[in-house]
Amino acid sequence: MGRAGETGLPFPRERIVELDALRGIAVIGIAWMNVYVFALPLQAYYNPAAYGAQSALDYAFWAVSFVLVEDKFRTLFAMLFGLGVAIMWERGTGWREHLARMALLFAIGVIHATLLASNDILRVYALAGLALPLLLQLGWHGLGLAMIALVALHLGGGYVWLASRSPEFFALNFGGHPDGLAYALELGRESVGDRIVRRLASLPATLAAISAGVPINLASMLAGVALWKSGLLPSRWSRGRVLGLIVLCCLVALPALTLIAFSAHSLAFDPQVVARNALVLSAPFDLLMGVAYAVAMLALFTRIRDSLGVRLLAAAGRLSLTNYLMTSLVFSALFASWGAGLFAAVSRAEALLLSLVPAALMLVWSPLWLRLYGQGPTERLWRAGARAITGRHA
């Protein structure tokens, strides 16, 4: 077994169905929000008043998404990524192999962002993952303090960034300014060749932008490790303590997120307010909701671990990297100029319905693929590439 954590809990050497099912839930939840990146101009992702909100139902979907979905499932995905790195480290992964894995993940993210999804999260995970092993020897109390420091760094840096931007910047990028919308519509309809040229030319600026997401994502990764070391994810807490943590997280986060969403609505979705709320102010509460989701769903999956639903989600989770990339491919086929060309032709509610397409596909194809090949294609490529770089063999 691996080395024990603060509570004497070793990291697992075999796959845990409940954790794989959590990964499946996370990748499906990410699709809920990512559909807006592909279906609507970039301003509409955060601001429903900017584009795509045609009825009260669209605003209702925005509010529900903001409070319950936006960045919560990315947080959950990051938590599980952090736990995965910790498990690999306990199994004997050294710095050389770890750095090779992060470098390859970053390369996959760059390719993904260039060809398909400009909001790719793999690049941020790779950058945050570079520092993760330095913190793995902390006990769960120390991990909690590190998380608080990282969240504070995110908040402080975010407010400094907001203060450095002009009102015109917010109007163009987070509001319904005609020039900003016209440019976003042009980008959404560009050809594959034009997109590749533009994205490659902007790589240096993009790297600086995604680096700003490292502290909050590293905090999320540490949350996953801390929950394991505390004995919670292995289900060694009593039902009362589990329920208490869920209730505490929700009592803090849900009223705060609801108030933040209400502030945007009451101020007529002012672009500067929208940017502050989505990029900075909501972050600590998104993290709390991610923790609540992880704990609640793990408790549920433990009770029904042999059910068909859990098995399907676990299969999707074992192929989480492949399914994450596949989701972007499906959305591109639906919305891009080289696909069905539905970009800017659907409402928020219609886009949400279309997000069910990749979710259904991954639940169908994941168990079939695993039965035939035992491992996802991108997961196999990632592992084999790291071994090739380091000279290690299976």
Side-chain angles (χ1 to χ4, degrees):
M1 300 293 286
R3 296 187 297 275
E6 184 177 284
T7 59
L9 293 170
F11 287 98
R13 286 201 173 273
E14 297 182 356
R15 300 200 72 93
I16 298 178
V17 172
E18 293 88 342
L19 293 180
D20 283 333
L22 278 177
R23 288 187 181 90
I25 284 286
V27 76
I28 289 173
I30 288 173
W32 183 332
M33 291 305 301
N34 273 5
V35 68
Y36 298 122
V37 174
F38 291 86
L40 300 170
L42 61 92
Q43 296 87 345
Y45 182 87
Y46 297 116
N47 190 344
Y51 197 96
Q54 301 173 3
S55 66
L57 183 62
D58 291 310
Y59 284 97
F61 276 132
W62 168 82
V64 171
S65 297
F66 180 84
V67 174
L68 298 178
V69 181
E70 185 179 320
D71 285 336
K72 284 71 175 175
F73 290 94
R74 288 188 185 183
T75 295
L76 181 56
F77 208 27
M79 290 171 63
L80 293 165
F81 179 87
L83 181 54
V85 170
I87 290 172
M88 294 292 294
W89 198 260
E90 287 290 320
R91 290 177 179 176
T93 296
W95 275 105
R96 185 179 179 186
E97 185 175 353
H98 176 72
L99 293 177
R101 288 173 63 86
M102 293 304 103
L104 282 172
L105 186 66
F106 186 84
I108 293 171
V110 169
I111 295 170
H112 180 223
T114 302
L115 298 177
L116 299 173
S118 57
N119 69 327
D120 169 81
I121 59 173
L122 302 179
R123 298 163 299 172
V124 183
Y125 285 7
L127 293 176
L130 293 175
L132 187 56
L134 299 174
L135 303 171
L136 291 180
Q137 297 307 312
L138 296 174
W140 68 273
H141 288 98
L143 291 168
L145 292 175
M147 288 164 51
I148 293 173
L150 288 165
V151 171
L153 178 61
H154 174 82
L155 292 173
Y159 277 108
V160 169
W161 179 83
L162 289 172
S164 70
R165 302 295 168 172
S166 66
E168 183 181 13
F169 170 84
F170 294 109
L172 289 171
N173 293 280
F174 296 91
H177 193 288
D179 292 342
L181 284 177
Y183 181 64
L185 289 168
E186 180 183 342
L187 294 185
R189 294 168 179 147
E190 67 185 345
S191 67
V192 175
D194 289 340
R195 176 183 175 83
I196 292 173
V197 171
R198 178 177 60 84
R199 294 294 297 173
L200 289 178
S202 63
L203 273 179
T206 301
L207 179 60
I210 63 176
S211 297
V214 168
I216 195 62
N217 280 280
L218 182 56
S220 300
M221 293 175 188
L222 294 181
V225 179
L227 288 177
W228 180 273
K229 288 194 174 186
S230 73
L232 180 57
L233 287 185
S235 302
R236 304 217 178 170
W237 279 26
S238 68
R239 184 177 300 180
R241 292 182 71 189
V242 168
L243 182 60
L245 180 58
I246 295 170
V247 171
L248 177 61
C249 289
C250 291
L251 283 178
V252 174
L254 286 178
L257 290 166
T258 302
L259 182 61
I260 292 170
F262 178 76
S263 72
H265 182 270
S266 63
L267 294 173
F269 292 97
D270 177 86
Q272 190 164 350
V273 172
V274 168
R276 179 204 64 194
N277 291 352
L279 301 181
V280 182
L281 191 56
S282 65
F285 308 110
D286 295 335
L287 177 55
L288 287 175
M289 288 303 297
V291 170
Y293 287 173
V295 175
M297 287 185 284
L298 182 70
L300 174 62
F301 295 156
T302 301
R303 293 173 63 87
I304 59 171
R305 72 188 313 269
D306 294 324
S307 67
L308 176 62
V310 170
R311 292 201 302 269
L312 291 177
L313 288 171
R318 288 184 63 182
L319 274 67
S320 58
L321 178 57
T322 297
N323 281 329
Y324 171 70
L325 300 173
M326 182 271 288
T327 297
S328 296
L329 186 61
V330 172
F331 284 155
S332 294
L334 288 171
F335 300 108
S337 60
W338 53 263
L342 295 179
F343 173 74
V346 298
S347 67
R348 294 186 73 89
E350 291 166 341
L352 179 58
L353 290 175
L354 288 171
S355 73
L356 299 177
V357 175
L361 289 175
M362 68 178 72
L363 291 176
V364 171
W365 93 287
S366 297
L368 297 175
W369 183 277
L370 287 175
R371 187 175 303 170
L372 292 172
Y373 302 105
Q375 189 178 27
T378 314
E379 287 80 3
R380 186 182 300 276
L381 176 65
W382 186 23
R383 177 176 294 184
R387 284 174 172 162
I389 291 174
T390 58
R392 291 187 58 178
H393 300 286

